[in-house]
Amino acid sequence: MVISMVVPLSRMCEGEKGKIRKLELPPITRERLCGLGFVSGEEIQLIKVAPFGDPKVYRIKGTDITLRDDISMWILVETSSISLSYASKGDYLVSLINGGMGFRERLRLLGIEEGKGLTVIGNLGRRIEISVKGNYATLSRGQAMRIIVRER
Amino acid sequence: MKNQPDRIDSKEITVALLGNPNVGKTSIFNSLTGSRQVVANWPGVTVEKRAGVMRHHNHTIDVVDLPGTYTLGATSLDEKIARDFLVNEKPGVAIVIGDAVNLERSLYLLLQVLELRGDVVLVVNAVDEARKAGFEIDKNELSKQLGIPVVVTSAVTGEGIEELKNTLVKSTKSSSHVHYLFSDEVEAHLRDLSERIKGNPSLAGFDERWLSIKLLEKDNEVQKITGITLDYDFSVEIAETRYKYIKRILSTSVKGKEKIGWNFSEAIDHVMTHRFLGILIFLAVMYIVFQLTFTISGPLSIMIEELLGGLGRAFGGFIGVDWLRSLVVEGIIGGVGAVLVFVPNIFILFLALGILEETGYLPRAAFVIDRLMYSMKLSGRSFMSMLLGFGCNVSSIMSTRSISEPKERIVTILVSPFISCSAKLPVYVLIAGTFFGARAGVVIFFLYVLSIVITVLSALLINKLFFKGEPSTLIMELPRYRKPRLSSLILYTWNKGRHFLEKAGTIILGASVVIWFLSYFPSEGTGSFAAMIGKSLEPLFIPLGYTWEMITSLVFGIAAKEVIVSSLTTFFGNLSVSGSSLGAIRTLITPEMALSFLVFVLLYVPCMPTLAVIKNETGSYKYVFFSVFYSLTVAYTVALIVRVVGGFL
């Protein structure tokens, strides 16, 4: 079963899609964003992260809009998937891995593959503890950022 | 030729162009007016105003290109200008230009215009691109649904432009005012508010339904005009209703679906904004722009200088009176030269900027570098202007025209004079070479680092002083990549270049005559007013230890920084004791005073042409005075610190 989650737009991962729920922004900013199509129910996708991590490019109503995290953190989106880095304890399904062949290969050795399950057993501090088919593994935050999971 | 009746049946109306940024509004404007256009600023603000005249079948129509906006909410300066123009000037026809590829968002602006007034024409531009992408726009259906004339155009192929002109001369005075309905609750509020507004005679000139909608959206300006402030906010619901209405219209009037597959813009973007390649490309583009602006224009500027030098000598031969000859040769022809040397520079700069803007790379560049500039509370948009400052501050300030946010533009304009321009380099080389010999390179490097540090600190301080320390926001569209068109590039470059010549040119020429006067009377050189100023300022500079000759050269340097070199060599060359041209100065001041002098040269008052463009671009002398006093204060303070600290070392 897929449970949708509400997360700030800034926390979406490259390539991920979501539906806008709410803009918790001052009226002036909200109005400008409304004119660009940021209204609730609208589908939005994170297209690209700038070289230094911020700002990010989002696609909404067919156009690409750049927003900094200082604004996008106040836009709440409903998404069925989140980055593993933000996942709390529980069972998840891996829906997307952002990375090259090497990264995928290393994850495959741990049993993490797109479409397969994993369980988060601890998410505190700098590392994330998971278990895959009974095997214990830890991932760094950077690695976990690039793994998109869905709750199940 | 036939005897034409003197345009008897022509009627003069004004047409306002509105539209989202990047929909090709300027191209349509160019197609309508040709070269009959004037570029100026909107009164009191830094936003560019383009107006032109369209002639069609004996009709003369004034066309005003309003700033590109996404809404009519008056939350940004651009929106406020567009809205005020519609409300106060009441143009005969309002044209809303939409993007055929992204009609949904264009119609959002259209609906807001329709809430405000009638006599609106919708232009659906870039229809060729929409066809390529695989969808067809049914303009008759669109026109029927909206109840206004709709013209489908392509500024690239010229399709629909004649039809638009025909529509404009016909479509005046239909005064149809289209309304669409909100939810029952909102409509009930709108009826109530309309009644309240009707009772107020001072609001007779406004459309009461529009005022009511704006009140429900909690629009600040309208709250002020009407004196009504509601404690509920329907802005989200109103926006959603508009989009729902648009979706319904589009479902019947746009056919076909976007082809899925290889997308040109996306493919380019993948490289242009790539984590590593993106930065490399950014640096390469910046390097090319810098080189184009300053290296290619260099020889041209020298040619112009030599040409005017020759002209001056030729004229000088004819004039017998000494002071008059000097006025003509040095004051006027020299002043004209001071303006003209910028011409190659400015024109090439705007050609390069025009290409970056038209292709759509400029916002990508801002996106790539934004994080670095954010630490200065600026955005990526100001990076290129600052970089150009290393060549020339005039180019740097002129290039801020591409920064859309007014706050950010002002900060960038005010701090860019601290970026060490190329005219200061000869001063560094001369003084550092004389005092520090082999370590001159280190000294010059220190000056460049200091230049960047002061620029960053000043950006933060000025932001705090004028704008309460709020960082500039970055809500920026990355438009589709487009092929730049030669005709619009030429028009763009010519308009901006001409603007510089007319406005800044006159100030620079005037200043040049004043400076000539100061250096010529009552007697040339050491007896001049300039030298007197230098001498009378000497007490002020005792803490820094500068001699009056140095101070005088600083005064002259306000005309142009490289003049400091020539005036120093004139003064100290005569005093030369040890053979080398600047030998004398070494007996007068210590190395730490020399370093402090270099710091002073780096930071003090911007040169005359720079001050002229600051006035021109900010539209206010307030910022010119601020720039002068602020830079003097910073220069004096830092130079003093350098001298004192240097004395201990």
Side-chain angles (χ1 to χ4, degrees):
Chain A
M1 193 187 86
V2 177
I3 302 162
S4 62
M5 293 166 262
V6 176
V7 293
L9 187 56
S10 57
R11 285 204 167 180
M12 291 215 305
C13 317
E14 236 169 288
E16 200 186 334
K17 284 181 183 171
K19 269 204 167 95
I20 292 181
R21 260 287 193 79
K22 207 172 176 212
L23 312 184
E24 295 189 329
L25 285 159
I28 286 180
T29 320
R30 200 175 57 205
E31 180 155 6
R32 280 180 78 177
L33 289 172
C34 270
L36 289 165
F38 287 76
V39 284
S40 71
E42 196 60 43
E43 187 173 87
I44 188 164
Q45 184 183 16
L46 173 56
I47 298 293
K48 190 139 231 167
V49 179
F52 300 104
D54 187 27
K56 293 168 182 151
V57 179
Y58 301 93
R59 183 162 301 159
I60 186 160
K61 286 195 194 289
T63 34
D64 291 353
I65 308 288
T66 295
L67 294 180
R68 287 197 193 119
D69 284 356
D70 61 356
I71 284 181
S72 58
M73 67 190 287
W74 301 108
I75 299 173
L76 298 181
V77 287
E78 197 179 302
T79 164
S80 56
S81 40
I82 53 165
S83 154
L84 183 59
S85 178
Y86 303 122
S88 50
K89 285 182 198 173
D91 289 334
Y92 295 91
L93 199 69
V94 178
S95 49
L96 191 75
I97 293 170
N98 279 320
M101 294 296 285
F103 184 57
R104 282 161 185 274
E105 186 57 26
R106 257 177 292 147
L107 292 179
R108 203 181 60 79
L109 293 176
L110 294 172
I112 304 172
E113 283 177 87
E114 283 176 12
K116 297 205 171 159
L118 59 79
T119 309
V120 175
I121 49 181
N123 188 352
L124 269 176
R126 291 163 62 188
R127 302 192 79 79
I128 289 142
E129 299 165 74
I130 57 167
S131 92
V132 189
K133 288 183 227 141
N135 297 324
Y136 173 83
T138 63
L139 293 170
S140 73
R141 283 230 169 255
Q143 290 172 322
M145 259 329 264
R146 292 153 70 185
I147 304 170
I148 317 300
V149 294
R150 254 188 335 220
E151 233 173 309
R152 63 174 207 178
Chain B
M1 229 176 89
K2 256 175 76 181
N3 206 1
Q4 288 234 337
D6 264 335
R7 282 197 269 129
I8 285 168
D9 49 355
S10 77
K11 48 180 174 180
E12 285 218 13
I13 58 162
T14 303
V15 166
L17 293 188
L18 290 123
N20 292 164
N22 313 310
V23 293
K25 197 160 60 66
T26 306
S27 310
I28 295 281
F29 176 72
N30 290 343
S31 309
L32 290 179
T33 61
S35 54
R36 293 177 297 272
Q37 44 177 275
V38 191
V39 181
N41 277 355
W42 291 91
V45 292
T46 54
V47 181
E48 197 170 87
K49 176 182 183 175
R50 275 184 300 267
V53 177
M54 175 190 125
R55 297 228 170 90
H56 189 63
H57 300 160
N58 275 355
H59 293 277
T60 303
I61 292 182
D62 291 328
V63 186
V64 178
D65 190 12
L66 296 176
T69 61
Y70 295 105
T71 71
L72 277 188
T75 54
S76 75
L77 190 56
D78 283 350
E79 290 170 3
K80 200 174 139 40
I81 288 169
R83 187 164 107 177
D84 285 354
F85 190 83
L86 290 185
V87 172
N88 301 330
E89 308 293 323
K90 298 197 170 59
V93 181
I95 307 182
V96 176
I97 296 165
D99 179 6
V101 181
N102 199 327
L103 209 45
E104 194 174 349
R105 223 182 44 205
S106 305
L107 291 189
Y108 189 78
L109 177 68
L110 175 78
L111 288 191
Q112 301 208 348
V113 178
L114 286 175
E115 284 160 19
L116 177 63
R117 55 169 286 144
D119 295 319
V120 179
V121 175
L122 172 65
V123 170
V124 180
N125 191 34
V127 71
D128 52 323
E129 286 183 65
R131 280 189 204 124
K132 245 182 251 161
F135 43 90
E136 195 65 44
I137 284 137
D138 185 344
K139 69 167 185 177
N140 294 329
E141 178 67 20
L142 205 51
S143 174
K144 201 176 82 193
Q145 295 257 4
L146 289 163
I148 55 169
V150 175
V151 183
V152 172
T153 63
S154 162
V156 179
T157 64
E159 178 186 342
I161 299 296
E162 278 304 300
E163 190 191 338
L164 174 60
K165 288 182 177 174
N166 289 333
T167 311
L168 286 182
V169 290
K170 268 193 315 220
S171 81
T172 51
K173 298 296 151 253
S174 67
S175 84
S176 63
H177 195 146
V178 186
H179 288 323
Y180 57 101
L181 293 179
F182 295 101
S183 70
D184 292 345
E185 189 188 3
V186 172
E187 285 296 333
H189 280 298
L190 288 178
R191 272 194 302 276
D192 279 358
L193 286 167
S194 295
E195 285 308 313
R196 274 172 78 180
I197 289 163
K198 262 184 204 153
N200 186 342
S202 67
L203 297 174
F206 297 95
D207 183 272
E208 64 267 6
R209 186 178 163 91
W210 177 69
L211 288 180
S212 310
I213 294 173
K214 288 291 146 194
L215 283 175
L216 288 181
E217 287 185 305
K218 302 217 71 117
D219 185 287
N220 272 332
E221 294 250 327
V222 174
Q223 285 178 349
K224 253 181 260 161
I225 306 173
T226 56
I228 302 173
T229 306
L230 305 170
D231 44 10
Y232 36 84
D233 180 356
F234 279 96
S235 55
V236 173
E237 205 198 313
I238 288 174
E240 283 169 11
T241 313
R242 286 187 192 124
Y243 275 116
K244 263 182 219 147
Y245 181 63
I246 291 166
K247 277 220 167 84
R248 217 176 60 218
I249 293 173
L250 291 181
S251 67
T252 57
S253 56
V254 177
K255 295 187 177 74
K257 256 214 142 21
E258 200 167 349
K259 283 177 193 159
I260 314 272
W262 195 75
N263 178 317
F264 179 66
S265 254
E266 240 170 82
I268 299 184
D269 246 357
H270 188 69
V271 181
M272 289 296 186
T273 59
H274 187 269
R275 210 148 290 179
F276 308 110
L277 282 177
I279 292 185
L280 284 180
I281 292 171
F282 171 77
L283 293 176
V285 169
M286 291 299 126
Y287 180 79
I288 292 168
V289 172
F290 194 88
Q291 287 298 323
L292 274 178
T293 320
F294 299 111
T295 312
I296 293 195
S297 69
L300 291 171
S301 296
I302 291 171
M303 257 169 57
I304 290 174
E305 264 178 338
E306 280 174 358
L307 213 70
L308 283 159
L311 195 71
R313 278 189 297 280
F315 262 99
F318 291 111
I319 303 169
V321 190
D322 273 350
W323 70 266
L324 191 63
R325 182 172 59 231
S326 179
L327 169 67
V328 172
V329 175
E330 278 145 41
I332 296 172
I333 297 180
V336 171
V339 178
L340 291 186
V341 287
F342 286 111
V343 166
N345 194 308
I346 297 280
F347 277 77
I348 292 173
L349 166 72
F350 277 120
L351 187 64
L353 268 182
I355 293 171
L356 292 186
E357 214 163 283
E358 282 231 345
T359 52
Y361 181 69
L362 220 46
R364 268 87 183 177
F367 168 72
V368 167
I369 206 70
D370 183 74
R371 190 67 194 83
L372 290 186
M373 303 307 285
Y374 186 50
S375 49
M376 295 163 69
K377 302 218 166 160
L378 295 171
S379 84
R381 287 168 298 209
S382 56
F383 182 87
M384 193 169 61
S385 300
M386 302 233 172
L387 183 78
L388 287 166
F390 286 111
C392 170
N393 298 143
V394 172
S395 327
S396 163
I397 291 170
M398 295 289 287
S399 73
T400 60
R401 298 212 146 206
S402 63
I403 301 174
S404 51
E405 189 163 314
K407 270 199 298 193
E408 183 174 3
R409 201 168 158 216
I410 297 282
V411 177
T412 311
I413 287 174
L414 290 179
V415 299
S416 54
F418 288 121
I419 293 170
S420 186
C421 72
S422 59
K424 291 173 188 167
L425 192 58
V427 190
Y428 304 159
V429 171
L430 181 79
I431 304 271
T434 308
F435 281 91
F436 303 101
R439 275 154 62 215
V442 183
V443 169
I444 293 174
F445 180 73
F446 161 77
L447 290 169
Y448 275 91
V449 172
L450 182 69
S451 149
I452 294 168
V453 170
I454 298 289
T455 306
V456 172
L457 293 179
S458 297
L460 292 173
L461 182 75
I462 290 172
N463 194 308
K464 193 132 208 152
L465 276 179
F466 288 116
F467 308 114
K468 300 175 197 143
E470 291 165 27
S472 69
T473 54
L474 184 84
I475 301 175
M476 181 177 70
E477 183 184 346
L478 302 186
R480 300 189 293 278
Y481 286 99
R482 284 206 171 113
K483 216 163 57 190
R485 288 189 311 142
L486 191 64
S487 59
S488 58
L489 277 179
I490 291 172
L491 209 57
Y492 176 92
T493 310
W494 170 241
N495 274 336
K496 311 243 160 159
R498 190 179 61 179
H499 192 59
F500 166 79
L501 280 179
E502 284 169 0
K503 298 293 157 109
T506 33
I507 305 181
I508 298 171
L509 182 58
S512 157
V513 173
V514 170
I515 286 173
W516 167 82
F517 180 84
L518 290 178
S519 61
Y520 193 82
F521 289 106
S523 72
E524 212 176 342
T526 50
S528 66
F529 285 125
M532 287 180 205
I533 294 173
K535 280 176 190 159
S536 62
L537 285 175
E538 207 175 3
L540 274 178
F541 283 87
I542 289 170
L544 295 174
Y546 304 166
T547 67
W548 71 265
E549 292 94 337
M550 291 160 74
I551 300 164
T552 309
S553 70
L554 288 175
V555 175
F556 283 126
I558 295 175
K561 295 297 155 85
E562 61 268 30
V563 174
I564 297 175
V565 171
S566 57
S567 35
L568 280 178
T569 39
T570 318
F571 289 132
F572 293 111
N574 297 340
L575 291 170
S576 176
V577 277
S578 62
S580 97
S581 66
L582 273 182
I585 198 175
R586 296 181 65 171
T587 61
L588 291 171
I589 61 166
T590 59
E592 69 265 16
M593 285 182 201
L595 183 61
S596 125
F597 182 71
L598 285 178
V599 168
F600 199 89
V601 169
L602 164 68
L603 300 172
Y604 89 116
V605 185
C607 65
M608 271 302 166
T610 305
L611 291 173
V613 287
I614 291 179
K615 156 71 183 69
N616 193 19
E617 296 301 309
T618 60
S620 147
Y621 278 108
K622 179 178 110 185
Y623 293 112
V624 177
F625 288 124
F626 175 81
S627 181
V628 169
F629 287 110
Y630 178 70
S631 57
L632 272 178
T633 315
V634 171
Y636 198 95
T637 316
V638 181
L640 189 63
I641 294 170
V642 167
R643 197 218 152 162
V644 172
V645 173
F648 287 122
L649 295 178

